[in-house]
Amino acid sequence: MRTRVQFPPPPPINRSTKNKEVQKTRKSKGLAGFFCSTKFKEIHCESLRIAGKFAGSSFTSNAFTSNGVPMARLLNKLSSPFIKATQTKSIKNGNVGKLADGGGLYFVAEPLRSSWWRFDYRIDGKQKTLSIGLYPDVSLAEARNQREELRRKIANGIDPGSQRKAEKAAAANADSFEAIAYEWWHHKKDTWTEGHAKRTLTRLVNDVFPYLGDKPINSINAITLLEVIRRIESRGAIETAHRTNQACEGVFAFAIGTGRCENNPATAIRAVLKPAPTQENFARLTDPSDISALLHDIQEYKGSPIVRSALQLLPLTFVRPGELAKAEWKYIDFDAALWTVPAHIKKQRISLKNDSNRVHLVPLSRQAIAILKDIYPLTGSGRYVFTGLRTTSGSANERHMTTESMLAALRRMGYSKEEMTSHGFRGIASTKIRENHKNKFQEVVIETQLAHTVGTKTQRAYDHAIYLPERIELMQWWADYLDELKTGAKIIPFQRQI
């Protein structure tokens, strides 16, 4: 049998500090017109149920302040059965239902799609809403845990909405074309030469990243990529357009292999690019009389004696211009008449540049030895054989000569880029040795001295002195042949003791 509870009249309001909590409680929602003092605490079970029903609030049996004042239950208002019932009702009636759990968390029951959790909060004076997840994928308990985590962030001055946007942007950037292109480049660069790796990255940075760099790679289609490649074609750089598209093709293939892309648009547009021009060799002279005139011009060159010596040595050794420009005295053996081009200078894959066995040996003819001895008083006190024009041999800031110095000297002598390049001396040697040696040297000996890939993998890795006696004979024969071209006299071959 229920007993009617009669609440005593409220005591006079005391403005003192100790009664402020009482005053606030009287004014709070759900307690207007009601007051429970400590002496009524023993009958709170039934009386609070009645009061809560009347005021529209719910109370628990221990919902009291330290002074015995009951508190409204502001958090965790919902239960799983109530949520399910609301969801069922929403689907049946076709209405959207909204249930608050307290603390900013509320449940939205959708009749035509999945129901979901949302969280309202204020930060910096602005009202914001954040989605927590779909129901029932995110349970009531999980939603409450997320709410508490979000409230802690807000208390620390962190805007969870802005933080989420930043995280999404970072995730999207991880799959951007630029990010994956750099990942691909680092993955491949050790298998390329240093120059090729640099040129490949430069093309991407200059011609692709400004237009596609920040786009998710899976969102780039053939038309989008073609527009970028057409920009390169429009300035007449057809070869560069093809090479840039090849690099993009590698990037997309890498993305497909790592599960971040499904199609390769670079492959799709390959057929619609403008035809690439025929690959031409480095410009070089072919007529013996022209080669003879060039050798005379080099001998009479009035510019830097260091550059002149480099141009004199280049046809005798037919190494790559960059290898000659970086030559160091410590690798020149006058007694053995041998120049060792170290692995880190050779044109080869970056992964091989630290392999001490991957050197290239250049036998020095008596003509080459004479040139080196002639320049030794100028640069012998320093590190490099051919010191840069604006540095001093042996100084702390000593630098080697650039390949452009040799090329510029050829231009000053009147040879255009269509006629002769510093790299063209290799082509002259390759062609003229084959035309004039009269089966004296095997093809493999010529290719080895040109530092081209020959032999088995094991031979290439460990036997850098392969065919060395034949190569010594070849280099002296070639030096004598050049002297014959220059002077027009028959030179008796020099016989070297091996």
Side-chain angles (χ1 to χ4, degrees):
M1 180 177 179
R2 295 185 177 179
T3 303
R4 182 181 297 275
V5 178
Q6 183 176 2
F7 288 87
I13 297 176
N14 190 339
R15 300 294 181 181
S16 62
T17 304
K18 68 179 181 178
N19 287 327
K20 284 184 179 180
E21 188 176 358
V22 176
Q23 298 166 24
K24 292 180 181 178
T25 304
R26 291 189 63 193
K27 296 179 180 179
S28 65
K29 181 180 177 181
L31 294 180
F34 294 91
F35 178 80
C36 293
S37 62
T38 307
K39 67 178 181 178
F40 286 100
K41 191 172 182 179
E42 63 273 9
I43 61 171
H44 70 270
C45 295
E46 182 64 15
S47 63
L48 291 181
R49 185 188 67 79
I50 298 171
K53 182 177 179 181
F54 183 81
S57 301
S58 60
F59 296 88
T60 59
S61 59
N62 58 351
F64 286 84
T65 65
S66 59
N67 294 325
V69 178
M71 297 187 302
R73 182 172 157 186
L74 302 178
L75 295 177
N76 302 339
K77 300 177 182 180
L78 302 178
S79 64
S80 294
F82 189 39
I83 291 173
K84 292 179 180 179
T86 303
Q87 188 178 33
T88 302
K89 184 178 179 181
S90 175
I91 295 174
K92 182 179 179 180
N93 298 336
N95 298 325
V96 177
K98 183 176 177 181
L99 302 174
D101 189 57
L105 176 66
Y106 59 93
F107 175 77
V108 180
E110 295 278 359
L112 301 177
R113 60 178 181 176
S114 299
S115 300
W116 51 325
W117 297 100
R118 303 196 73 178
F119 175 71
D120 285 347
Y121 66 99
R122 291 185 68 85
I123 191 166
D124 297 331
K126 296 181 180 180
Q127 180 75 20
K128 297 187 178 183
T129 300
L130 202 62
S131 174
I132 290 183
L134 299 177
Y135 178 85
D137 296 340
V138 177
S139 66
L140 175 60
E142 291 171 342
R144 286 171 175 171
N145 289 337
Q146 290 192 45
R147 175 190 62 194
E148 296 308 311
E149 178 64 27
L150 295 172
R151 285 162 63 89
R152 280 192 290 270
K153 289 181 178 181
I154 295 169
N156 291 325
I158 300 174
D159 184 345
S162 299
Q163 184 184 43
R164 181 177 294 184
K165 288 180 181 178
E167 291 172 352
K168 286 183 178 180
N173 187 59
D175 287 339
S176 68
F177 181 88
E178 182 173 344
I180 296 178
Y182 272 112
E183 189 177 340
W184 166 77
W185 184 81
H186 283 289
H187 176 73
K188 296 286 291 183
K189 69 182 180 69
D190 287 344
T191 65
W192 298 331
T193 63
E194 187 175 359
H196 178 68
K198 183 178 180 180
R199 288 190 297 271
T200 300
L201 183 60
T202 300
R203 293 186 188 110
L204 292 171
V205 170
N206 292 344
D207 294 320
V208 183
F209 290 171
Y211 309 103
L212 301 179
D214 59 349
K215 293 183 179 296
I217 195 166
N218 207 31
S219 69
I220 301 173
N221 56 32
I223 299 300
T224 305
L225 179 62
L226 182 60
E227 291 176 354
V228 174
I229 302 301
R230 290 289 192 222
R231 291 175 182 268
I232 305 174
E233 290 181 339
S234 66
R235 64 175 190 255
I238 308 301
E239 177 66 23
T240 300
H242 278 265
R243 293 187 179 276
T244 303
N245 190 61
Q246 289 173 3
C248 291
E249 192 170 359
V251 174
F252 283 107
F254 181 79
I256 292 172
T258 54
R260 289 172 286 182
C261 188
E262 297 177 358
N263 300 299
N264 195 325
T267 302
I269 69 172
R270 192 191 304 165
V272 299
L273 299 181
K274 293 181 179 180
T278 303
Q279 183 67 39
E280 296 181 358
N281 294 323
F282 291 98
R284 64 182 185 273
L285 301 175
T286 57
D287 187 89
S289 61
D290 293 334
I291 298 173
S292 176
L294 172 62
L295 296 176
H296 276 287
D297 290 339
I298 292 174
Q299 186 173 351
E300 300 300 323
Y301 180 64
K302 302 303 181 182
S304 164
I306 296 176
V307 175
R308 181 181 66 243
S309 296
L311 285 174
Q312 288 176 314
L313 196 61
L314 194 54
L316 292 171
T317 59
F318 49 87
V319 295
R320 294 178 175 88
E323 296 170 350
L324 184 71
K326 298 175 184 176
E328 298 182 40
W329 284 114
K330 66 179 180 180
Y331 296 117
I332 304 292
D333 188 339
F334 283 102
D335 294 332
L338 201 64
W339 169 28
T340 301
V341 179
H344 68 274
I345 291 178
K346 278 184 64 181
K347 179 185 178 182
Q348 59 185 348
R349 297 177 181 178
I350 297 175
S351 58
L352 302 178
K353 285 186 174 291
N354 294 324
D355 188 347
S356 59
N357 291 308
R358 297 282 184 167
V359 300
H360 176 56
L361 299 182
V362 181
L364 298 172
S365 62
R366 56 183 174 81
Q367 292 91 331
I369 291 291
I371 294 170
L372 290 170
K373 287 184 176 180
D374 185 60
I375 195 179
Y376 189 83
L378 294 177
T379 64
S381 61
R383 173 183 176 183
Y384 296 106
V385 177
F386 304 105
T387 308
L389 298 180
R390 292 180 176 81
T391 62
T392 304
S393 180
S395 64
N397 63 341
E398 179 186 4
R399 294 189 299 273
H400 60 76
M401 181 182 65
T402 65
T403 57
E404 287 75 13
S405 298
M406 291 181 281
L407 196 59
L410 289 173
R411 300 293 172 263
R412 283 194 288 270
M413 286 186 281
Y415 294 91
S416 68
K417 64 180 181 180
E418 290 78 18
E419 292 178 301
M420 187 63 192
T421 63
S422 53
H423 203 285
F425 288 106
R426 286 174 59 79
I428 291 176
S430 178
T431 301
K432 294 305 177 183
I433 289 174
R434 287 180 169 87
E435 289 178 354
N436 296 280
H437 73 77
K438 298 178 181 179
N439 299 321
K440 187 176 181 64
F441 305 107
Q442 299 179 55
E443 182 70 15
V444 68
V445 174
I446 301 172
E447 287 295 291
T448 301
Q449 195 54 52
L450 285 165
H452 291 163
T453 302
V454 296
T456 65
K457 184 176 181 180
T458 302
Q459 287 175 321
R460 294 196 302 270
Y462 299 105
D463 196 359
H464 48 267
I466 188 172
Y467 306 116
L468 187 58
E470 294 89 342
R471 289 158 59 189
I472 291 174
E473 184 180 2
L474 167 65
M475 298 302 281
Q476 186 58 57
W477 176 90
W478 174 243
D480 293 340
Y481 173 81
L482 292 179
D483 273 352
E484 183 180 346
L485 278 181
K486 186 168 59 175
T487 62
K490 183 68 176 178
I491 303 298
I492 299 175
F494 172 75
Q495 299 295 327
R496 182 192 302 223
Q497 297 296 324
I498 308 299

